[in-house]
Amino acid sequence: MSLLQALRRLGQGPTMQDWPGLIEAYRSWLPVSDATPVITLHEGATPLIPAPVIAERIGRGVKVYLKYDGLNPTGSFKDRGMTMAISKAKEAGSEAVICASTGNTSAAAAAYARRGGMRAFVLIPDGYVAQGKLAQALLYGAEVLAVQGNFDRALAIVREVSERHPVTLVNSLNPYRLQGQKTAAFEVVDALGEAPDWLCIPVGNAGNISAYWMGFNNYRAAGRCRRLPRMMGFQAAGSAPMVLGHVVEQPDTIATAIRIGNPVNRDKALVVEAESNGAFMAVTDAEIIEAYKLLGSGEGVFCEPASAASVAGLLKRREEVPAGATVVCVLTGNGLKDPTTAIEHNDSKFHTGLPPDTDVVAQVMGF
Ligand code: F0G
């Protein structure tokens, strides 16, 4: 009997506090021990939301779900990796952490490091981080260093700094990050009772696709699911090194979260592609924005532009989805992270400067 069933039998509804955070929930699957101080914001347990409007566009009985990881405590999937990375850093006696980030990693690193009583240093590409993410890093008490270079350059710098000075690197080169992130695959299987046929996921540094693959494989090895999904990774066309097969020196896309030209997890991700019979494909900024708007106005789900790349990719490759298949699209970050893009790209009517007059309001409404 599950915890949920037991509570129902007692006539008690579940409460948020029944969810202990992902380290406790999946402890036996993770490299933690009694000596690990668990630094948690009760991340994980994010909803798998059916997407009927998108499914209808695919047709042929295909079922589509959105793994809405934007509902984590700092608004992105990075919390899954960060609860692990920061807990292990704390266990090792570290007093400071560092990362390079397009915004989400820095928000999560800041929140978890501060909660663990550590200093957080974050390097961001100056001018290319969505406003909400910058606000988070500052508010959580990180020391923010904006460098005049892209993410790839910032990552090279933090690697060197962490080799020379007593600060723990918490980018996805830190193996505990992917361990934490693999729990999203566990949750997908726990919710569906089986792995999906396709997993569509945005790809930047290619850590998350590798983490999901590890999670599905762990579960299959333990008999929790029988099959493994095809892993479909989508990159923005202007920042698509995995698709092109070479480093992109000047990555460019509206989806700043995945504005990455030299993914550090490239080799791992190529293994995922080969083993899962998957593929890396590019979607244009226009396709990303179309999917972003459709998710908002069609499904009622607000994600950030990078996250919408998974749905843009699914729509683009719809002909290849087998009839009746189950598809999960990963929505990696919350739309509130990037209000600027939402305000600039929507099809809604926005009537400004109206007089405070009932008749005028009714008239504008079309009555
Ligand atoms: N989606 C969002 C919202 C992201 O923030 C990122 C990566 C990705 C997708 C890609 O994941 O790198 O594992 O392939 N953001 C990093 C950051 C780079 O600094 O926040 P990936």
Side-chain angles (χ1 to χ4, degrees), residues 76-78 100-106 133 151 171-172 177-178 181 202-209 257-258 260 265 304 306-307 332-334:
S76 87
F77 73 100
K78 304 288 182 179
S101 181
T102 56
N104 282 324
T105 300
S106 54
K133 303 175 188 180
F151 169 85
N171 279 104
S172 57
R177 280 276 312 280
L178 300 192
Q181 285 172 214
V203 172
N205 233 350
N208 210 26
I209 192 168
I258 52 173
I260 294 173
N265 297 296
E304 62 174 286
S307 307
T332 44
N334 196 303

Coordinates of all heavy atoms in Angstrom, one line a residue, residues 76-78 100-106 133 151 171-172 177-178 181 202-209 257-258 260 265 304 306-307 332-334, ligand 1:
S76 N 12.9 25.5 -11.2 CA 13.4 24.7 -12.3 C 13.9 23.4 -11.8 O 14.0 23.1 -10.6 CB 14.6 25.5 -13.0 OG 15.8 25.2 -12.3
F77 N 14.2 22.5 -12.7 CA 14.7 21.1 -12.4 C 16.0 21.2 -11.7 O 16.5 20.1 -11.2 CB 14.8 20.3 -13.7 CG 16.0 20.7 -14.6 CD1 17.1 20.0 -14.6 CD2 15.9 21.8 -15.5 CE1 18.2 20.4 -15.4 CE2 16.9 22.2 -16.3 CZ 18.1 21.4 -16.3
K78 N 16.7 22.3 -11.7 CA 18.0 22.4 -11.1 C 18.0 22.0 -9.6 O 19.0 21.6 -9.0 CB 18.6 23.7 -11.3 CG 18.7 24.2 -12.7 CD 19.8 23.4 -13.5 CE 19.9 23.9 -14.9 NZ 20.9 23.3 -15.7
A100 N 28.9 28.3 -13.0 CA 28.6 29.2 -14.1 C 27.1 28.9 -14.4 O 26.7 27.8 -14.3 CB 29.5 29.0 -15.3
S101 N 26.4 29.9 -15.0 CA 25.0 29.6 -15.2 C 24.3 30.6 -16.2 O 24.7 31.7 -16.2 CB 24.2 29.7 -13.9 OG 22.9 29.4 -14.1
T102 N 23.4 30.0 -16.9 CA 22.5 30.9 -17.7 C 21.3 31.3 -16.9 O 20.4 31.9 -17.4 CB 22.0 30.1 -19.0 OG1 21.4 28.9 -18.5 CG2 23.1 29.8 -19.9
G103 N 21.3 31.0 -15.6 CA 20.4 31.6 -14.7 C 19.7 30.6 -13.7 O 19.6 30.9 -12.5
N104 N 19.3 29.5 -14.2 CA 18.6 28.5 -13.3 C 19.5 27.8 -12.3 O 19.2 27.7 -11.1 CB 17.8 27.5 -14.1 CG 16.5 28.1 -14.6 OD1 15.9 28.9 -14.0 ND2 16.2 27.7 -15.8
T105 N 20.7 27.4 -12.8 CA 21.6 26.8 -11.9 C 22.0 27.8 -10.8 O 22.2 27.4 -9.6 CB 22.9 26.3 -12.6 OG1 22.5 25.4 -13.6 CG2 23.9 25.6 -11.7
S106 N 22.2 29.0 -11.2 CA 22.7 30.0 -10.2 C 21.6 30.2 -9.1 O 21.9 30.4 -7.9 CB 23.1 31.3 -10.8 OG 22.1 31.8 -11.7
K133 N 15.5 35.2 -12.9 CA 16.7 34.3 -12.4 C 17.7 35.2 -11.7 O 18.3 34.8 -10.7 CB 17.3 33.6 -13.6 CG 16.3 32.7 -14.3 CD 16.9 32.1 -15.6 CE 15.9 31.4 -16.4 NZ 16.4 30.7 -17.6
F151 N 28.2 31.6 -21.7 CA 28.2 30.6 -20.6 C 29.4 29.7 -20.7 O 30.0 29.4 -19.7 CB 26.9 29.8 -20.7 CG 26.9 28.5 -19.9 CD1 26.5 28.5 -18.6 CD2 27.4 27.3 -20.4 CE1 26.6 27.4 -17.8 CE2 27.4 26.2 -19.6 CZ 27.1 26.2 -18.3
N171 N 28.3 22.9 -11.0 CA 27.8 22.7 -12.3 C 27.6 21.2 -12.5 O 28.0 20.4 -11.7 CB 28.7 23.3 -13.4 CG 28.5 24.8 -13.5 OD1 29.3 25.6 -13.0 ND2 27.4 25.1 -14.1
S172 N 27.0 20.8 -13.7 CA 26.7 19.4 -13.8 C 28.0 18.5 -14.0 O 27.8 17.3 -14.2 CB 25.7 19.2 -14.9 OG 26.2 19.7 -16.1
R177 N 25.1 16.1 -9.1 CA 24.0 16.9 -9.8 C 23.1 15.9 -10.6 O 21.9 15.9 -10.4 CB 24.6 17.9 -10.7 CG 25.0 19.2 -10.0 CD 23.8 20.2 -9.8 NE 23.1 20.3 -11.0 CZ 23.4 21.1 -12.1 NH1 24.5 21.9 -12.0 NH2 22.7 21.2 -13.1
L178 N 23.8 15.1 -11.4 CA 23.0 14.2 -12.3 C 22.3 13.1 -11.5 O 21.2 12.7 -11.8 CB 23.9 13.6 -13.4 CG 24.5 14.6 -14.3 CD1 25.1 13.9 -15.5 CD2 23.6 15.7 -14.8
Q181 N 19.2 14.7 -10.4 CA 18.3 15.0 -11.5 C 17.6 13.7 -12.0 O 16.5 13.8 -12.6 CB 19.0 15.8 -12.6 CG 19.2 17.2 -12.2 CD 20.1 18.0 -13.1 OE1 20.8 18.9 -12.7 NE2 20.1 17.7 -14.4
P202 N 14.6 19.6 -23.6 CA 15.5 20.6 -24.1 C 16.9 20.3 -23.7 O 17.1 19.7 -22.6 CB 15.0 21.9 -23.4 CG 14.2 21.5 -22.3 CD 13.7 20.1 -22.5
V203 N 17.9 20.6 -24.6 CA 19.3 20.3 -24.3 C 20.1 21.5 -24.4 O 20.1 22.3 -25.4 CB 19.8 19.2 -25.3 CG1 21.3 19.0 -25.2 CG2 19.0 17.9 -25.1
G204 N 20.9 21.8 -23.4 CA 21.9 22.9 -23.3 C 23.3 22.3 -23.1 O 24.0 22.0 -24.1
N205 N 23.6 22.1 -21.9 CA 24.9 21.5 -21.5 C 24.8 19.9 -21.6 O 25.7 19.2 -21.3 CB 25.2 21.9 -20.1 CG 26.6 22.5 -20.0 OD1 27.4 22.4 -21.0 ND2 26.9 23.0 -18.9
A206 N 23.6 19.4 -21.9 CA 23.3 18.0 -22.0 C 23.4 17.2 -20.8 O 23.6 15.9 -20.8 CB 24.2 17.4 -23.2
G207 N 23.3 17.8 -19.6 CA 23.3 17.1 -18.4 C 22.0 16.4 -18.1 O 21.9 15.2 -17.7
N208 N 20.9 17.1 -18.3 CA 19.6 16.6 -17.9 C 19.2 15.3 -18.7 O 18.6 14.4 -18.1 CB 18.5 17.7 -18.0 CG 17.4 17.5 -16.9 OD1 17.6 16.9 -15.9 ND2 16.2 18.0 -17.2
I209 N 19.5 15.4 -20.0 CA 19.1 14.2 -20.8 C 19.9 13.0 -20.3 O 19.4 11.9 -20.3 CB 19.4 14.5 -22.3 CG1 18.7 13.4 -23.2 CG2 20.8 14.7 -22.6 CD1 18.6 13.8 -24.7
A257 N 18.4 30.2 -21.6 CA 18.8 29.1 -20.7 C 19.6 28.1 -21.4 O 20.5 27.4 -20.8 CB 17.5 28.4 -20.1
I258 N 19.4 27.9 -22.7 CA 20.1 26.9 -23.5 C 21.0 27.5 -24.5 O 21.3 27.0 -25.6 CB 19.2 25.8 -24.1 CG1 18.0 26.5 -24.9 CG2 18.6 24.9 -23.0 CD1 17.2 25.4 -25.7
I260 N 24.1 27.8 -25.3 CA 25.3 27.1 -24.9 C 25.9 26.5 -26.2 O 25.2 25.8 -26.9 CB 25.0 26.0 -23.9 CG1 24.6 26.6 -22.6 CG2 26.3 25.1 -23.6 CD1 24.1 25.7 -21.5
N265 N 28.6 17.9 -21.2 CA 28.2 16.5 -21.1 C 28.0 15.9 -22.4 O 27.2 14.9 -22.6 CB 26.9 16.4 -20.2 CG 27.1 16.9 -18.8 OD1 27.9 16.3 -18.1 ND2 26.5 18.0 -18.4
E304 N 9.3 28.5 -19.3 CA 10.2 29.4 -19.9 C 10.5 29.0 -21.3 O 10.3 27.8 -21.7 CB 11.4 29.6 -19.1 CG 12.3 28.4 -18.9 CD 13.6 28.8 -18.1 OE1 14.4 29.4 -18.8 OE2 13.7 28.5 -16.9
A306 N 13.1 28.2 -23.1 CA 14.0 27.0 -23.3 C 13.2 25.7 -23.1 O 13.3 24.7 -23.8 CB 15.2 27.0 -22.3
S307 N 12.3 25.7 -22.1 CA 11.5 24.5 -21.8 C 10.6 24.2 -23.0 O 10.3 23.0 -23.3 CB 10.7 24.7 -20.6 OG 11.5 25.1 -19.5
T332 N 11.3 22.3 -18.2 CA 12.4 22.4 -17.2 C 12.3 23.6 -16.3 O 12.9 23.5 -15.2 CB 13.7 22.4 -18.0 OG1 13.5 23.4 -19.1 CG2 14.1 21.1 -18.5
G333 N 11.7 24.6 -16.7 CA 11.7 25.9 -15.9 C 10.3 26.6 -16.0 O 9.6 26.5 -17.0
N334 N 10.1 27.4 -14.9 CA 8.8 28.1 -14.8 C 8.8 29.4 -15.7 O 9.9 30.1 -15.7 CB 8.7 28.5 -13.3 CG 7.3 29.0 -13.0 OD1 6.8 29.9 -13.6 ND2 6.7 28.3 -12.0
Ligands
F0G1 N1 16.0 24.1 -19.6 C1 16.3 25.1 -18.7 C2 15.2 25.9 -18.2 C3 17.6 25.3 -18.3 O1 17.9 26.2 -17.4 C4 18.6 24.4 -18.8 C5 20.0 24.6 -18.4 C6 18.3 23.4 -19.7 C7 17.0 23.3 -20.1 C8 19.3 22.5 -20.3 O2 19.7 21.5 -19.4 O3 22.1 21.9 -19.6 O4 21.2 19.8 -18.6 O5 21.0 20.2 -21.0 N2 20.4 25.6 -17.7 C9 21.8 25.7 -17.2 C10 21.8 26.8 -16.2 C11 22.8 25.8 -18.2 O6 22.9 27.4 -16.0 O7 20.8 27.1 -15.6 P1 21.1 20.8 -19.7

